[in-house]
Amino acid sequence: MITIEKLHKSFGDLDVLTGIDLHVAPHEAVCVIGPSGSGKSTLLRCVNGLESITSGTISVDGIDIGASRNNLAQVRREVGMVFQQFNLFPHMTALENVTLAPTRVRKLSKADAVARAERLLARVGLADKRNAYPAQLSGGQQQRVAIARALAMEPRVMLFDEPTSALDPEIVGEVLDTMRGLANDGMTMMVVTHEMGFAREVSDRVVFMDKGQIVEVSTPADLFSAPKQARTQDFLNKVL
Amino acid sequence: MNLYFGDILPFMGEMLTALGMSFGITVASFLIGGVFSVAVYAAKASPVRALSAVASGYIGLFRNTPLLVQIYLIYFGLPVFGINLDVLQASLIALSLNNAAYCAEIIRGGFSSVSKGLVEAGEALGLDAWTIFTRVSLIPALRAVYPSLVNQFVHLFLTSSIASIIGLPELMHAILEINSQTYRSIEVLAIGALLYFASGFLISFVARVAERFLFRWAVSV
Amino acid sequence: MSEEFLGQLAGLLNGAVWTLALCSSAGIAGTAFGFVLGLGQTSSRAILRWPAVVYVTVVRGVPVLLLIFFVYFGVPLLFGVNLDPFLTGFLSLALVGAAYTGEIFRGAIEAVPRGQTEAAHALGLGYADRLFRVIMPQALRIAVPAGTGFLINLVKDSSLIGIIGFVELTRAAKILSNLTLDPLGAFLMAAAIYFVISFVISRTGNAIERRLTPKLGKRARIQESSLTPTGH
């Protein structure tokens, strides 16, 4: 579903990604872990073109995102993204946040978009908050609306960029539950996270990154209990 | 010395009429300059370097020279080109051009204050640049600049008094006229100051009440 | 022709010198008074706070031109002294400037985190030490950009002093335009001189601000610049 080959990315003379190769299969949930500054968020942001690529290729569902603006637009319609800071549109209600892109991009009728949005808000447990503005919602509720907003485009891939890092510890669970549900339904997912428990339990494979490179890719059972690389071992010792 | 306001009372109607002129020219030049400022901002943000340089030059010149000199240039300088403006036209043009330079800077600040994350969220949803501008960035940007725009309006209202120097019959002009007729300088200036201050206060107050209705979404409950 | 031009320019530059004299003296006096007003506005004692707040609010809410006339007509009536045009201009710009700098000082003092005062209290520092050793060094850095704006506004406001008969730059340009019958040339030259003065002030302000800002390492600067949006 997602194929990344020889990906390099630099900001000025700072190299952030130095040669990434990764393949994510359909219905696979992949968690990306690693120390801060390892380039994991940048990697995720390259997948839907929020960061331009310095060299290498990324294709989603066979479409090379770097080849043309049209390809990029096509990929963005198929890839949903959830941000660390939620990034809900502050001047729109929860319902308006969820219906905007389907009506503007997918050209859905207003009624269809509202029906879909209501279904999705119910799915993330926020049916009663449809008319609330983001400022009136807790962080966990905002993030769940953001997930519903991304799902409303019926994406084939979901990207999560540290979705729980800005949340208070006691409400991290409600967002992780929503994500667990998605993974169980077979959504293709790439998740950058610091939640090791979630990575171990939900992902099919775990990617460990450090200093702009993939150090180790493995099933969670192998990576967490028998890491092959010293750097992985080091990192896990610090965080677990 | 003793203060006596009795001599001023017969002139109150004149002062209020003049206040109306002050307010009117402020509204007109705020609107004209406000619309023009959007074009100036667009030119400044444009990738065409010549356009951007002209806009920067315009903003720099009007913000770094006195309004009085700008008024003189338009009222006394333009007739050299055969453009003869009356006092009202010259004042309106000078205040509008001046206001546009300030508003262009305010608008620029507003759009740069809209979090990059909002634009990215729009991009990630596949929205095109125009939709992101109109539906995602515009209203939060207006929300961000609203207090600055209100301040600029009040500032423009106060500085419009400078147009009295070329003879625009606004409040400051009326104050000086009444002063020369009554010789009650302290009293007439005090009443004039009170009218300016109270109007500015009222404008800010109304704007603050309106803000709550205009930007309900920003209020957390 | 060019000698004539130089003669005209000399007349304007003479006016500009008086503009600078007016602004530097009023700027210094206004800032000193404004400092007191800033302390007053941030004082915990109502009897110090209220007069400062009222002064700053009223002066900022009234046109500068009106305040100039207030000093021009009012001081002789209220105090029985006749001021010459320079002193009238100096006094009115200083009184106006004090309200603006008072507001700048208030903002800067309030921008210093409350914990700084609390930490200074906890160390047992006296009022003067808390103010001059802890709060002001931090507040001044915050105040520099606003201070630059204040000085530029002061120079622009000083153009109004010509109205009461003092020959500063704008008045000099007006006189010149009456002599040469070339208002466009005279006011454009004046505008250019004002622009240069503002430019020098803002460049100096930027340099001071840079010097007062702790330097970032190269890596930090690159990361910071990568945060600013660039077009795709």
Side-chain angles (χ1 to χ4, degrees):
Chain A
M1 182 60 81
I2 304 172
T3 306
I4 301 167
E5 283 169 342
K6 300 195 186 70
L7 174 64
H8 285 257
K9 168 71 188 172
S10 48
F11 292 112
D13 44 5
L14 187 73
D15 295 320
V16 181
L17 298 175
T18 52
I20 302 283
D21 290 282
L22 180 68
H23 181 78
V24 179
H27 310 301
E28 193 180 24
V30 172
C31 281
V32 184
I33 62 171
S36 54
S38 59
K40 51 195 195 306
S41 280
T42 306
L43 171 64
L44 200 72
R45 290 161 58 82
C46 284
V47 172
N48 68 348
L50 287 181
E51 300 291 353
S52 60
I53 299 170
T54 306
S55 69
T57 56
I58 297 177
S59 60
V60 177
D61 207 9
I63 304 165
D64 178 357
I65 68 161
S68 71
R69 285 194 74 86
N70 206 12
N71 280 13
L72 177 61
Q74 215 177 325
V75 165
R76 281 181 173 165
R77 285 197 287 272
E78 306 303 332
V79 176
M81 183 156 188
V82 174
F83 299 84
Q84 181 178 350
Q85 297 297 337
F86 330 134
N87 294 343
L88 287 182
F89 306 133
H91 53 300
M92 298 180 193
T93 62
L95 192 78
E96 287 164 348
N97 263 282
V98 181
T99 55
L100 178 70
T103 53
R104 308 294 293 198
V105 182
R106 292 265 191 240
K107 307 295 177 200
L108 235 60
S109 74
K110 182 98 183 160
D112 288 347
V114 168
R116 182 186 287 182
E118 283 175 335
R119 200 180 69 237
L120 286 167
L121 285 173
R123 177 165 166 190
V124 298
L126 292 171
D128 56 329
K129 297 290 185 191
R130 51 174 280 169
N131 293 325
Y133 287 104
Q136 299 161 343
L137 298 172
S138 72
Q141 290 170 331
Q142 288 189 55
Q143 194 59 298
R144 284 184 284 153
V145 173
I147 293 173
R149 176 175 73 175
L151 290 175
M153 288 293 285
E154 303 196 318
R156 312 188 51 176
V157 175
M158 283 285 282
L159 307 176
F160 292 87
D161 186 5
E162 303 194 21
T164 57
S165 297
L167 298 176
D168 293 332
E170 67 271 21
I171 51 177
V172 164
E174 64 188 57
V175 172
L176 293 182
D177 283 343
T178 306
M179 292 167 62
R180 189 178 291 117
L182 273 177
N184 290 341
D185 291 348
M187 174 65 78
T188 309
M189 293 165 58
M190 255 181 99
V191 184
V192 170
T193 186
H194 293 293
E195 297 290 330
M196 295 305 148
F198 178 81
R200 181 189 298 225
E201 179 205 346
V202 176
S203 55
D204 298 304
R205 282 188 302 157
V206 178
V207 174
F208 172 68
M209 281 183 71
D210 191 20
K211 296 183 178 136
Q213 290 178 319
I214 292 179
V215 177
E216 191 167 352
V217 184
S218 207
T219 60
D222 284 351
L223 191 124
F224 284 107
S225 41
K228 293 188 191 66
Q229 302 290 330
R231 274 198 277 175
T232 317
Q233 179 70 61
D234 250 18
F235 174 73
L236 291 176
N237 284 345
K238 280 181 199 138
V239 298
L240 290 181
Chain B
M1 73 160 291
N2 40 11
L3 296 175
Y4 178 64
F5 287 88
D7 291 349
I8 314 291
L9 283 177
F11 295 97
M12 281 316 288
E14 205 172 302
M15 278 186 133
L16 291 176
T17 312
L19 177 63
M21 172 57 109
S22 290
F23 190 72
I25 196 159
T26 304
V27 171
S29 46
F30 190 76
L31 292 178
I32 297 170
V35 171
F36 185 47
S37 75
V38 177
V40 175
Y41 161 70
K44 177 149 188 188
S46 143
V48 183
R49 287 187 64 181
L51 211 55
S52 168
V54 168
S56 297
Y58 171 84
I59 293 170
L61 277 175
F62 275 86
R63 285 168 54 99
N64 289 303
T65 57
L67 175 61
L68 180 59
V69 172
Q70 294 161 20
I71 291 177
Y72 279 166
L73 266 173
I74 288 164
Y75 187 60
F76 297 118
L78 287 186
V80 172
F81 300 109
I83 305 169
N84 287 293
L85 300 167
D86 65 29
V87 167
L88 181 63
Q89 291 164 334
S91 306
L92 188 62
I93 291 172
L95 288 170
S96 299
L97 291 175
N98 184 274
N99 180 52
Y102 283 93
C103 284
E105 281 297 276
I106 292 172
I107 292 173
R108 193 170 65 92
F111 275 98
S112 62
S113 80
V114 173
S115 95
K116 196 185 163 203
L118 280 191
V119 175
E120 288 186 345
E123 288 176 349
L125 286 166
L127 300 172
D128 59 76
W130 177 248
T131 307
I132 289 174
F133 176 78
T134 55
R135 300 295 299 269
V136 175
S137 314
L138 186 61
I139 294 176
L142 280 178
R143 165 80 187 95
V145 300
Y146 184 83
S148 303
L149 286 180
V150 173
N151 280 343
Q152 169 60 15
F153 184 88
V154 174
H155 178 75
L156 187 67
F157 174 69
L158 297 180
T159 51
S160 70
S161 61
I162 294 174
S164 67
I165 294 171
I166 57 167
L168 185 75
E170 47 67 76
L171 182 54
M172 189 69 228
H173 192 261
I175 291 167
L176 295 175
E177 287 277 289
I178 297 164
N179 177 48
S180 65
Q181 287 176 41
T182 61
Y183 295 102
R184 288 281 171 195
S185 301
I186 305 265
E187 293 88 337
V188 71
L189 284 166
I191 291 177
L194 184 71
L195 285 176
Y196 271 114
F197 185 83
S199 308
F201 184 82
L202 202 65
I203 292 165
S204 304
F205 178 76
V206 170
R208 212 168 307 139
V209 173
E211 185 176 15
R212 273 191 226 139
F213 288 95
L214 289 169
F215 304 109
R216 257 172 316 159
W217 50 268
V219 184
S220 54
V221 176
Chain C
M1 167 61 208
S2 88
E3 210 168 291
E4 195 186 324
F5 173 78
L6 287 177
Q8 296 177 7
L9 190 63
L12 288 185
L13 287 177
N14 186 45
V17 168
W18 283 108
T19 290
L20 291 176
L22 201 52
C23 291
S24 42
S25 56
I28 291 167
T31 305
F33 184 23
F35 179 70
V36 176
L37 288 171
L39 292 184
Q41 284 197 95
T42 51
S43 168
S44 53
R45 267 180 263 170
I47 192 151
L48 296 176
R49 195 171 62 243
W50 276 104
V53 168
V54 168
Y55 179 87
V56 168
T57 312
V58 168
V59 171
R60 290 177 73 237
V62 170
V64 175
L65 187 56
L66 193 148
L67 290 162
I68 292 169
F69 281 119
F70 212 97
V71 173
Y72 180 69
F73 290 117
V75 168
L77 287 172
L78 289 171
F79 303 104
V81 279
N82 278 310
L83 297 175
D84 72 16
F86 181 86
L87 279 178
T88 307
F90 161 78
L91 187 60
S92 43
L93 290 180
L95 290 174
V96 170
Y100 285 85
T101 49
E103 192 62 6
I104 292 170
F105 280 120
R106 181 193 62 76
I109 290 169
E110 285 177 354
V112 176
R114 180 123 207 101
Q116 295 289 315
T117 312
E118 287 168 2
H121 266 295
L123 289 168
L125 294 177
Y127 177 80
D129 280 338
R130 286 202 307 273
L131 184 63
F132 290 106
R133 302 256 177 167
V134 180
I135 305 303
M136 285 321 289
Q138 304 182 58
L140 279 181
R141 183 161 68 88
I142 300 168
V144 169
T148 307
F150 156 70
L151 285 177
I152 292 174
N153 280 334
L154 182 67
V155 171
K156 291 192 287 178
D157 287 342
S158 74
S159 69
L160 302 175
I161 302 301
I163 307 306
I164 53 170
F166 181 72
V167 184
E168 42 62 68
L169 179 52
T170 302
R171 180 81 175 194
K174 189 86 186 3
I175 293 168
L176 181 64
S177 79
N178 289 338
L179 283 174
T180 60
L181 301 180
D182 175 20
L184 193 68
F187 293 125
L188 278 180
M189 278 199 281
I193 297 172
Y194 277 116
F195 189 82
V196 169
I197 295 173
S198 297
F199 185 79
V200 170
I201 293 172
S202 86
R203 275 303 158 96
T204 311
N206 287 348
I208 293 172
E209 197 186 348
R210 256 200 309 282
R211 179 169 278 197
L212 292 175
T213 309
K215 287 191 177 63
L216 293 171
K218 190 183 177 198
R219 194 185 162 88
R221 254 181 296 146
I222 289 168
Q223 283 181 338
E224 198 164 85
S225 69
S226 77
L227 292 175
T228 51
T230 47
H232 288 281

